[in-house]
Amino acid sequence: MDTRAQSISLWITPFFGVILLLCFTAFPGFWPPIPPDMTAEQVAAFYDENRAMVRFSMITFNLCAIMLVPFFMVVVVQIKRTASHVLAYSYLAAIATGATLFAIADIFWLVAAFRPERDPELVLLLNDLAWMIFVAPVGMLVVQNLCLALAILLDDRAKPVFPRWVAYFSIATAVAMTPAVCAVAVTSGPLAWDGAISFWLRFSAFGLNIVVLFVVLLGVVRRQRDEQTATEASSSSAQPEPVS
Amino acid sequence: MSSIVAPPPTAQAERTHPRRHNLDQLICWWTIPIFYNIFGLIFVVLTRVMPPPRPDVGPQEIVAFFAQHGLTIKIGFALLMFFVGFTAVANGLIAHQIKRMSVAPVLAYGYITALAVGAIPGCLFAAFAFLAAALRPDRDPQHIALLYDLGLLSFVGSLGCFVAQNFVLAMAIFLDKNEILPKWLAYMSIWMIVTELLAGPVFIFTSGPLAWNGSISFWLGTAVFVVWEFCIIKLLYTAITSQPPGERVQD
């Protein structure tokens, strides 16, 4: 099988990754993250003052965030090579639901910014929904990392698909993201949706995970290509073809 | 067509330390009974979504509902934010068993997609609606009432995802010649589709047997679901443990 589709899916990731990082930097609501204890009037005033940048960053997020899906599908293909189909399908299912959650949160932010005259109570409600959906439902991300870790630990090929440390790194990512679930229950301190653990640790872990997996997958796909070239060379030497 | 063929002799030789047969599937299987118990704790005990509270109440009673159960709603749904991920594992496991059947992978991929979609309206969206209400009990009571309806109608009324899930599963079992899952499970899956059809009227009625807490729309559907879930957990275990070592599954 040709590995070009995997290579393209990998190499679009730094491009879209940089765009997403720019969006993250451009969204005024992340610097600092909008705290859960702001009043309806304060939240409405935030959208009034920052309407242009909210729209710019969230429309760009909307366009580009799901472009990470092909990257994660490379992981699915490689988990299948470790011989665990079930973990590959579980990973795929987790990505589909997780990506949808982000897409929904993005829409809530844009609706909150849509009509300046909207009742501040409703702007607050839209803002609450956007933040909770963006930060808290990490279960899918945790499970996808655990699936990858398990697939690596169970991979008993003589030449494993992934380096073994990637399993421990994935588990560490899952552990770092888990406390963010508290963002739906706690409204102040490090576990609130604007907190050091629920927001900064969770999104740093996610970003670092993508960077590290990108580098790892470059090697994984290169080794797959080399293995296939070697197999093809040995099979064509077994059946000599006429030299042209 | 049989998907069972003898393993190529070199395949075993390449393995450095052969792992226990189907260990990945057994680990995935064990998550299902564990997490269904946790889902029971979340939805029945903590968040009071099951059995559902009444649809025929006014904003004041709805505000009182969230005031009374706000804390457990937050705790329960915070747990769900983590444990919902394991639905993906159950989903992947059943899809993999469908791929062992003598049917095209269409049905396995259909199963994954139907449930990956269903996890949001059928589970998480309800949680976020309830959480938004519990987060600020001082919201306008009309807004709280809207969130109550949004939560319960999306939870009880997400029908089509589960119709599609049960349709592809039933079709796969009927067409399968490898006897991975018994035919009677396919008939049960058709009963699951019937219960989804019977839950359609929850969007119309606010009381009686067809309302979202009604004897037909909720209780009958839930009873069938619980029996179906017990059966499939048991049958999946049998399917995994009776899978011959080295069986080739279509890619």
Side-chain angles (χ1 to χ4, degrees):
Chain A
M1 190 169 46
D2 194 341
T3 53
R4 271 184 306 176
Q6 291 189 75
S7 297
I8 295 168
S9 302
L10 283 183
W11 279 109
I12 61 171
T13 307
F15 175 75
F16 287 103
V18 168
I19 294 177
L20 295 178
L21 202 60
L22 281 176
C23 294
F24 192 88
T25 319
F27 183 59
F30 291 158
W31 307 97
I34 300 175
D37 54 6
M38 270 167 71
T39 65
E41 284 66 30
Q42 287 170 322
V43 170
F46 165 83
Y47 283 97
D48 272 335
E49 286 156 21
N50 298 289
R51 204 170 305 279
M53 284 307 268
V54 169
R55 285 173 172 166
F56 164 73
S57 54
M58 284 298 156
I59 292 172
T60 316
F61 256 135
N62 193 326
L63 285 165
C64 298
I66 311 300
M67 288 304 286
L68 292 182
V69 165
F71 171 77
F72 291 114
M73 291 306 119
V74 177
V75 182
V76 172
V77 169
Q78 296 301 333
I79 293 178
K80 269 193 133 178
R81 286 185 64 226
T82 70
S84 182
H85 288 208
V86 62
L87 293 171
Y89 298 140
S90 304
Y91 193 100
L92 186 150
I95 293 291
T97 307
T100 313
L101 286 168
F102 174 79
I104 293 173
D106 180 275
I107 301 284
F108 277 120
W109 265 309
L110 285 167
V111 178
F114 191 63
R115 285 187 205 278
E117 69 276 18
R118 199 188 301 281
D119 176 359
E121 288 291 331
L122 285 172
V123 177
L124 178 70
L125 172 58
L126 293 163
N127 181 72
D128 289 341
L129 285 167
W131 274 96
M132 286 193 296
I133 298 175
F134 183 62
V135 174
V138 290
M140 294 293 166
L141 289 157
V142 167
V143 165
Q144 77 184 54
N145 275 293
L146 295 181
C147 286
L148 175 59
L150 186 60
I152 295 171
L153 294 176
L154 293 178
D155 184 4
D156 56 2
R157 293 158 47 112
K159 288 180 189 164
V161 174
F162 289 90
R164 212 170 162 80
W165 63 265
V166 178
Y168 304 112
F169 175 72
S170 300
I171 294 169
T173 304
V175 170
M177 295 181 92
T178 300
V181 301
C182 298
V184 297
V186 178
T187 50
S188 62
L191 290 171
W193 73 48
D194 65 331
I197 293 176
S198 287
F199 187 82
W200 292 110
L201 178 65
R202 177 215 186 287
F203 287 102
S204 312
F206 180 69
L208 182 67
N209 187 258
I210 289 180
V211 172
V212 170
L213 268 186
F214 171 72
V215 177
V216 167
L217 286 168
L218 285 180
V220 168
V221 173
R222 193 180 55 238
R223 282 193 297 279
Q224 184 189 6
R225 195 181 54 224
D226 293 347
E227 274 177 36
Q228 282 171 355
T229 317
T231 321
E232 281 162 19
S234 64
S235 65
S236 63
S237 65
Q239 296 168 315
E241 286 171 27
V243 182
S244 56
Chain B
M1 147 190 143
S2 168
S3 61
I4 300 170
V5 297
T10 52
Q12 293 302 319
E14 280 175 13
R15 311 268 159 189
T16 46
H17 46 287
R19 65 180 199 227
R20 190 177 160 195
H21 173 53
N22 282 343
L23 185 57
D24 55 343
Q25 291 195 67
L26 285 172
I27 293 172
C28 291
W29 182 86
W30 271 105
T31 66
I32 304 177
I34 294 171
F35 295 116
Y36 266 97
N37 278 307
I38 293 173
F39 288 155
L41 173 75
I42 291 171
F43 285 106
V44 179
V45 181
L46 290 171
T47 63
R48 306 300 176 116
V49 172
M50 287 174 82
R54 302 174 68 94
D56 52 346
V57 287
Q60 296 316 319
E61 287 115 315
I62 295 173
V63 170
F65 169 83
F66 284 110
Q68 190 186 346
H69 302 298
L71 180 65
T72 52
I73 285 172
K74 288 180 198 170
I75 295 169
F77 284 139
L79 288 172
L80 182 72
M81 294 298 130
F82 177 79
F83 288 110
V84 74
F86 290 89
T87 58
V89 177
N91 188 354
L93 184 58
I94 294 173
H96 179 60
Q97 291 296 329
I98 295 176
K99 284 203 84 173
R100 292 183 57 217
M101 300 178 185
S102 63
V103 295
V106 183
L107 301 173
Y109 299 148
Y111 193 91
I112 296 177
T113 312
L115 281 190
V117 173
I120 297 203
C123 189
L124 281 172
F125 209 76
F128 287 116
F130 266 45
L131 283 165
L135 176 69
R136 301 186 203 278
D138 56 339
R139 279 189 217 279
D140 181 340
Q142 289 294 340
H143 297 174
I144 301 254
L146 170 73
L147 291 166
Y148 182 80
D149 292 347
L150 190 59
L152 286 159
L153 284 173
S154 75
F155 183 74
V156 184
S158 289
L159 314 168
C161 320
F162 306 103
V163 171
Q165 169 217 351
N166 283 289
F167 172 74
V168 293
L169 180 62
M171 194 152 65
I173 297 172
F174 279 135
L175 294 175
D176 173 35
K177 294 194 183 75
N178 297 346
E179 299 189 342
I180 305 295
L181 291 170
K183 302 289 180 233
W184 59 262
L185 186 70
Y187 289 103
M188 283 197 67
S189 294
I190 290 175
W191 271 103
M192 292 278 285
I193 297 177
V194 171
T195 66
E196 298 294 341
L197 298 178
L198 291 174
V202 297
F203 294 104
I204 301 164
F205 294 99
T206 54
S207 64
L210 296 173
W212 77 45
N213 64 341
S215 55
I216 293 177
S217 291
F218 176 76
W219 287 104
L220 180 67
T222 305
V224 173
F225 172 75
V226 170
V227 177
W228 180 89
E229 192 61 48
F230 267 107
C231 293
I232 199 158
I233 289 174
K234 173 76 183 66
L235 293 169
L236 276 174
Y237 188 79
T238 313
I240 295 167
T241 48
S242 58
Q243 186 171 347
E247 180 197 70
R248 272 184 76 112
V249 179
Q250 54 184 333
D251 198 38

